[in-house]
Amino acid sequence: MIKKFLLLLLILACANAEISLKDIDSKPPCRAKDFMIWQYLKQDITPSQADRAYKQLNSNSDKLLYIYAKKTDDLKVKQIVLCKKEKNLLSISDKECLKLAMSPYKTLTLTNKQREKLSKKVSSKKDKNLLKIQSEPYSQEAYIKYNANTILTLFVNTAASHRRKNLNIHLNEKFINKLSSSWKISEFIKIVVNDKKLNKLQLSLLNLNGTKLNAQSNFFLALNHLKHSNKKEAIKYFNLSLKKSKHKIDIDKNYFWIYQITKDKKYLNKLLLSMDINIYTLFAHEVLDKSFDNYFSCVEVIDKEPKKDIKDPFNWSDILKEIKATPNDKLFDLASLYMQPEMIPVQSFIIQKAYSFKMHGYIMPYDKYLKQLKNDDKALVYAIMRQESNLIPSALSRSYALGLMQLMPFLVDAIAKNHKEKITNYDEMFIPKKNIDYALKHLKWMQKSLYHPLFMAYAYNGGMGFLRRHLEKGTFNSGRYEPFLSMELISNSQSREYGKKVLANYVMYKKIMGEEISIIHLFDTLTQPKKTDRFRG
């Protein structure tokens, strides 16, 4: 009992301990150290301490630079931040400062006369061309003298409202194909096809040749043809996308879409051959009444203490390096070193890699923290967790999302405040019980508005406001290719793909729990607002 009390005191002391320079100096360069430095810069430190910590960053970002600038006495750093934030471009006389401050968003608000004046100050030909094209009339005739990069920079690097009001213009076949010489054409296509208010540009895209474009561009062009009832052309572009696809899910989604148009089951049979488990292969297996066998939900465990604490992000960083350095034929040997109960997620990750991710793990090592949940909710938690962190408790993203459920620090703060708790150190989020507890609070709040796992996934990744705006635009209504067309046209590409993966995980976890589940039913429900959300009721 005394030992447990002393351990609790030690944990509380550590939780309230501030990060020191000694702590930072002792750690190797990695993302976990950058996160430590980010937290340190928010403490009450001296300028020299801030300088010493900042110099140890493994990778920088404006987010860290702006925090550092408030702490340091380095006038050069403060000037860089001031330049980056300066909105009045015409007030800047220094060329280097102007270069840092320049952006298409800022120059768009200027008058033609102001842009002309600014053009004399900038030295970059790219910036000069952008200023010049921003002063042109909104027409193909005005843009024809510019190169594809300049034209697409004008389009891509601007607000959606400006695009819809001014840049939704008809482009002829020759002009639209000229644009394909720029690497920005892919982003242009994605933006246009995803925005139904850019109807003139969508019609222009019907004349774009896809032979020199990548898989994603051809996929969106195929969807665009489908939206305009050009089934034959849509199949042509899906096939082009198929030939250029390098990832399993991209190959699968093209087969799925060709099946949606043709209803030819040979394309479903091709999906049966895929070794990936995703919404498209799940659909094919259900339609053809076939089962999967390339997954596991349990691994061998030995009753032994692990040599490393997986709740420490520095340890996970070391393990990841070890996994990456291990040849494929030695990975099963490496997996055998991680058979302790706490290391189940590590062992599962290594086994999947050893099978080149043709065998998929759906482990459930945190059931003791989910006992109070119904299977629906439990499956959703694991589905999100698997996608967010591979069930690694000390997972840490580039944006410092934390732990199993990848909670952003600002969300952790909000949850703690709402529930009158105090987070003294974000490392608490690497403790599975604490991370899951906070995530459940957030999910419970989301479930007041959302009743479908796909919409929960979208909101979890992109935010409730993002999802609500999408739904209120008229997506996921009934239609020939719904809900699939709406699923492919979610504007945020990260949230779009994230939602698909979480939905597939949800179906698999429900199956593993022995629950009846139909992905076809889940798809059908998406076009029935009363069963999915409160925003469209």
Side-chain angles (χ1 to χ4, degrees), residues 266-360:
K266 76 178 181 184
Y267 296 105
L268 292 182
N269 283 312
K270 287 181 182 293
L271 284 168
L272 293 185
L273 299 175
S274 173
M275 297 302 287
D276 198 29
I277 296 178
N278 54 56
I279 61 168
Y280 309 110
T281 55
L282 283 167
F283 175 86
H285 279 77
E286 186 172 327
V287 171
L288 298 177
D289 196 23
K290 301 288 183 181
S291 59
F292 282 92
D293 59 7
N294 61 321
Y295 69 92
F296 60 91
S297 57
C298 298
V299 291
E300 190 177 348
V301 177
I302 55 172
D303 188 17
K304 193 175 179 182
E305 284 293 312
K307 292 180 181 179
K308 294 178 180 177
D309 180 7
I310 194 59
K311 297 187 293 298
D312 183 337
F314 288 97
N315 285 340
W316 173 233
S317 180
D318 290 341
I319 292 168
L320 261 182
K321 288 175 187 174
E322 181 184 29
I323 294 169
K324 287 175 183 177
T326 304
N328 255 41
D329 61 345
K330 302 290 183 184
L331 282 171
F332 285 112
D333 294 334
L334 181 63
S336 68
L337 302 178
Y338 293 97
M339 295 171 68
Q340 306 84 2
E342 293 89 341
M343 292 296 185
I344 287 173
V346 178
Q347 186 191 166
S348 174
F349 180 80
I350 298 170
I351 289 170
Q352 288 177 94
K353 191 172 188 297
Y355 279 110
S356 301
F357 297 98
K358 293 177 181 177
M359 181 69 71
H360 306 273

Side-chain angles (χ1 to χ4, degrees), residues 100-117:
L100 289 167
M102 280 282 287
S103 84
Y105 292 98
K106 292 176 186 177
T107 57
L108 190 64
T109 61
L110 302 177
T111 65
N112 287 0
K113 191 172 261 188
Q114 287 173 324
R115 279 192 283 265
E116 189 178 344
K117 189 176 178 182

Side-chain angles (χ1 to χ4, degrees), residues 32 43 45 54 73 107 149 157 198 200 233 238 256 268 279 296 339 380 436 453 459 467 472:
Q43 295 176 184
I45 56 175
Y54 191 77
D73 282 340
T107 57
N149 269 338
N157 295 346
L198 298 176
K200 291 178 184 176
E233 287 296 296
F238 282 130
F256 172 86
L268 292 182
I279 61 168
F296 60 91
M339 295 171 68
L380 179 65
I436 290 169
L467 174 63
E472 289 176 347

Side-chain angles (χ1 to χ4, degrees), residues 19-32:
I19 295 164
S20 70
L21 265 178
K22 189 177 178 182
D23 295 328
I24 292 169
D25 292 340
S26 68
K27 300 299 183 183
C30 62
R31 190 179 297 168

Side-chain angles (χ1 to χ4, degrees), residues 4-144:
K4 286 184 179 178
F5 179 70
L6 289 172
L7 180 61
L8 179 62
L9 285 177
L10 179 62
I11 290 169
L12 289 171
C14 290
N16 285 284
E18 287 199 329
I19 295 164
S20 70
L21 265 178
K22 189 177 178 182
D23 295 328
I24 292 169
D25 292 340
S26 68
K27 300 299 183 183
C30 62
R31 190 179 297 168
K33 182 168 183 171
D34 288 354
F35 176 59
M36 181 183 276
I37 293 168
W38 174 74
Q39 293 181 88
Y40 180 70
L41 289 172
K42 291 187 159 198
Q43 295 176 184
D44 185 14
I45 56 175
T46 67
S48 62
Q49 289 173 323
D51 294 341
R52 185 170 150 192
Y54 191 77
K55 284 176 184 175
Q56 297 186 55
L57 276 175
N58 184 50
S59 60
N60 199 357
S61 68
D62 279 352
K63 177 178 167 181
L64 276 160
L65 177 65
Y66 293 161
I67 297 170
Y68 171 52
K70 291 177 182 178
K71 301 286 184 177
T72 185
D73 282 340
D74 190 326
L75 295 178
K76 188 178 178 181
V77 171
K78 289 181 179 293
Q79 185 59 38
I80 287 170
V81 170
L82 283 173
C83 290
K84 281 176 173 282
K85 290 184 173 182
E86 181 58 62
K87 292 179 181 177
N88 186 358
L89 300 178
L90 289 165
S91 69
I92 303 172
S93 55
D94 182 78
K95 284 190 175 182
E96 285 303 310
C97 183
L98 184 56
K99 190 177 179 181
L100 289 167
M102 280 282 287
S103 84
Y105 292 98
K106 292 176 186 177
T107 57
L108 190 64
T109 61
L110 302 177
T111 65
N112 287 0
K113 191 172 261 188
Q114 287 173 324
R115 279 192 283 265
E116 189 178 344
K117 189 176 178 182
L118 186 61
S119 184
K120 293 172 183 175
K121 289 187 172 188
V122 299
S123 52
S124 161
K125 187 179 178 182
K126 182 181 76 174
D127 288 339
K128 285 181 182 292
N129 282 337
L130 181 62
L131 288 165
K132 193 176 176 184
I133 197 172
Q134 282 183 335
S135 296
E136 297 281 6
Y138 300 114
S139 68
Q140 177 182 297
E141 290 71 24
Y143 299 146
I144 203 159

